[in-house]
Amino acid sequence: MNERFFGVGEPLIQRQRDQGIDASAYLELVKGLGCNAYRSWMHLTELLRDPVTPNLEEVERHRRLLDKAQELDIEVTGMSHEWFLPVGCRQHKGHAMPKRDLTPGSLYMQALELLEQSWYTMVSLFPQVSIWEVGNEWNLNAFLHPDGFLDSDMSAPFTADEKMDIAVDMMYFAARGVRRANPQAKVASFSPALSTPGLGGDMPDYLPVMYGVAWTLDKVYSRIKSGRFWSDNTDDYFDLVAWHPYVFTNKEVPDADLFLDVDEPDQLWKSYNDAAYKVMKKYGDGHKQVLLTETGFTDCGNPDWERRYAGYNEKLLRIAQGLPYVRTLHNFRLLNENAMLRRGGIEQNQIGGLTEVYFGLFTDPEEDCQPRARAKAIQRVTGSKVDLAKLGAEVSRQIIG
């Protein structure tokens, strides 16, 4: 098993901006769990004012966090899923792209050139980051859509094939920017997730939704190897392959909530991941390592669900330990967001409502950063002997006094 197998993902700097705290102390919780890898949300559009100009206040926030990670020997994967768009687009930034047009000087080519420049600028600022994940769930309409899509009636998204044409282009230009800035850094592919027609996928609906990862990767690899894109060498696009292996149900559940009506991880969950890896091997990338950059469970504050999903989380980790191609598994997410929701006053102020709030391994600092059932389950697998309750209280005191 890789020495960086156990990881956690959490947008800590977003929390720092929202709550006015120093986020670096939270990394003590990551280490206490027995994890030594951390996935950090580092959006180009927040760290930069434009593709060549750093946002110095934001850079300093992230730098303090990254320095703390180095101090604790925690490997950081930096991820951005926002970017800048050129003058002439309806949007200035976001998850949008102009229609694909490879004509020199087109808005589309300008957007790709801005993307390369943005990655060059950001990576130059943070030599501490060893892995850069250049996109997030681009097989879903929410994370890759036409310019102006969210301002419209959302009736004309990119097709699944259009998204993958664009995704391959974006990975190539992003990787060029990363490597010009830091040839030692590794580039991770964008991370595919489940596939359903309603979310923007075109996988047959008789297949379990998590085979969408393999389905999407096959689209990516077939494009690269076709010779119709920028290079037929996958190394020019990514060094590591990332995906999001959440656990969903395969049962017919009326009005099912994908994150709540979940099955216990078993051979089918392993099969989702093995299928994606088989795609890598099919195209000659069986030697590359995989980052499971996001997976976890939410319980909506229900104690019975919390206990059940803690058991699921432990079983998932033990299955993943037997997958030789997995380098790191990042548990989503470190902290609950219920205190933030209370300050907002209504659930609608929190994306995803209660489902999103209760992914946390620990409670909010206002509740002493206490370990929840899933944190204890993860610690059983890592073997850490740290007193998480005591550590959480100490971290809470550091943060809010």
Side-chain angles (χ1 to χ4, degrees):
M1 186 181 67
N2 192 283
E3 64 176 7
R4 300 289 178 176
F5 178 81
F6 296 105
V8 177
E10 172 71 34
L12 287 177
I13 297 300
Q14 174 185 314
R15 184 175 288 263
Q16 177 167 331
R17 285 194 303 268
D18 292 342
Q19 296 182 303
I21 52 88
D22 183 355
S24 62
Y26 287 121
L27 292 177
E28 298 282 359
L29 300 176
V30 174
K31 196 69 175 180
L33 280 169
C35 299
N36 55 10
Y38 165 63
R39 180 177 183 243
S40 188
W41 278 239
M42 301 179 68
H43 295 315
L44 295 166
T45 55
E46 294 174 355
L47 282 151
L48 308 178
R49 298 191 183 281
D50 58 56
V52 297
T53 309
N55 178 343
L56 295 180
E57 181 180 3
E58 192 73 3
V59 167
E60 185 55 33
R61 289 192 186 106
H62 282 268
R63 187 166 286 145
R64 285 197 299 272
L65 183 70
L66 296 173
D67 288 346
K68 181 69 171 181
Q70 269 196 327
E71 176 189 323
L72 294 172
D73 188 31
I74 295 174
E75 180 181 75
V76 175
T77 294
M79 181 275 298
S80 173
H81 59 69
E82 293 193 4
W83 52 88
F84 295 101
L85 294 172
V87 175
C89 289
R90 293 175 60 181
Q91 298 174 226
H92 169 61
K93 60 185 180 181
H95 307 108
M97 283 291 283
K99 183 177 179 181
R100 191 169 190 261
D101 176 1
L102 301 183
T103 305
S106 68
L107 286 175
Y108 184 78
M109 289 305 302
Q110 290 181 52
L112 292 177
E113 289 157 6
L114 292 178
L115 185 68
E116 178 179 348
Q117 179 60 56
S118 298
W119 276 107
Y120 173 81
T121 303
M122 181 156 82
V123 173
S124 298
L125 294 166
F126 300 110
Q128 311 99 312
V129 177
S130 54
I131 301 172
W132 292 100
E133 182 188 355
V134 295
N136 182 73
E137 298 185 351
W138 285 344
N139 60 321
L140 306 184
N141 290 340
F143 289 100
L144 183 56
H145 46 250
D147 176 33
F149 177 68
L150 295 181
D151 298 328
S152 68
D153 61 6
M154 298 174 62
S155 62
F158 290 130
T159 67
D161 283 324
E162 286 172 334
K163 286 197 290 288
M164 289 307 99
D165 287 346
I166 294 167
V168 170
D169 293 342
M170 292 178 71
M171 283 191 293
Y172 180 81
F173 278 79
R176 287 208 316 191
V178 172
R179 289 175 175 145
R180 281 201 296 120
N182 182 0
Q184 304 307 312
K186 300 296 184 184
V187 178
S189 70
F190 87 88
S191 44
L194 77 164
S195 178
T196 69
L199 294 174
D202 65 350
M203 186 179 71
D205 58 11
Y206 52 78
L207 294 176
V209 296
M210 279 311 301
Y211 281 115
V213 171
W215 184 267
T216 300
L217 285 179
D218 196 83
K219 286 176 177 283
V220 168
Y221 273 105
S222 64
R223 281 162 170 74
I224 293 172
K225 293 298 185 179
S226 72
R228 295 184 289 105
F229 286 76
W230 308 93
S231 166
D232 62 4
N233 184 350
T234 63
D235 293 349
D236 292 330
Y237 299 81
F238 45 80
D239 305 298
L240 303 157
V241 181
W243 64 76
H244 289 176
Y246 280 99
V247 180
F248 300 121
T249 186
N250 196 40
K251 304 182 184 78
E252 291 292 335
V253 180
D255 302 317
D257 185 311
L258 285 171
F259 289 106
L260 291 178
D261 298 299
V262 299
D263 297 329
E264 184 173 355
D266 56 15
Q267 180 60 37
L268 182 59
W269 185 82
K270 179 179 181 295
S271 178
Y272 298 150
N273 291 285
D274 285 347
Y277 180 62
K278 286 175 184 175
V279 173
M280 294 170 59
K281 289 199 296 183
K282 170 184 172 182
Y283 290 100
D285 263 1
H287 61 287
K288 288 185 177 175
Q289 294 181 309
V290 171
L291 305 179
L292 304 181
T293 38
E294 207 173 288
T295 188
F297 299 84
T298 181
D299 54 69
C300 286
N302 182 315
D304 291 336
W305 294 353
E306 182 185 354
R307 285 189 291 271
R308 182 193 310 161
Y309 296 149
Y312 287 10
N313 208 146
E314 181 173 351
K315 186 171 183 181
L316 180 150
L317 284 172
R318 295 195 187 280
I319 294 171
Q321 283 180 299
L323 304 179
Y325 49 85
V326 175
R327 186 182 196 279
T328 306
L329 183 149
H330 288 283
N331 294 275
F332 181 82
R333 56 192 295 178
L334 185 65
L335 297 151
N336 274 356
E337 294 232 31
N338 54 312
M340 294 170 67
L341 181 136
R342 282 199 304 273
R343 279 192 293 277
I346 55 174
E347 288 185 20
Q348 286 81 355
N349 283 1
Q350 172 62 49
I351 296 173
L354 287 175
T355 301
E356 181 73 15
V357 168
Y358 287 99
F359 271 100
L361 304 175
F362 292 85
T363 63
D364 283 271
E366 291 87 343
E367 297 176 356
D368 278 344
C369 292
Q370 289 301 285
R372 305 184 72 234
R374 286 179 53 231
K376 297 172 186 177
I378 291 168
Q379 192 181 38
R380 285 195 293 272
V381 184
T382 67
S384 168
K385 302 302 181 185
V386 171
D387 184 332
L388 294 180
K390 181 179 178 181
L391 176 62
E394 290 172 354
V395 168
S396 180
R397 283 195 295 274
Q398 287 183 53
I399 290 167
I400 62 176

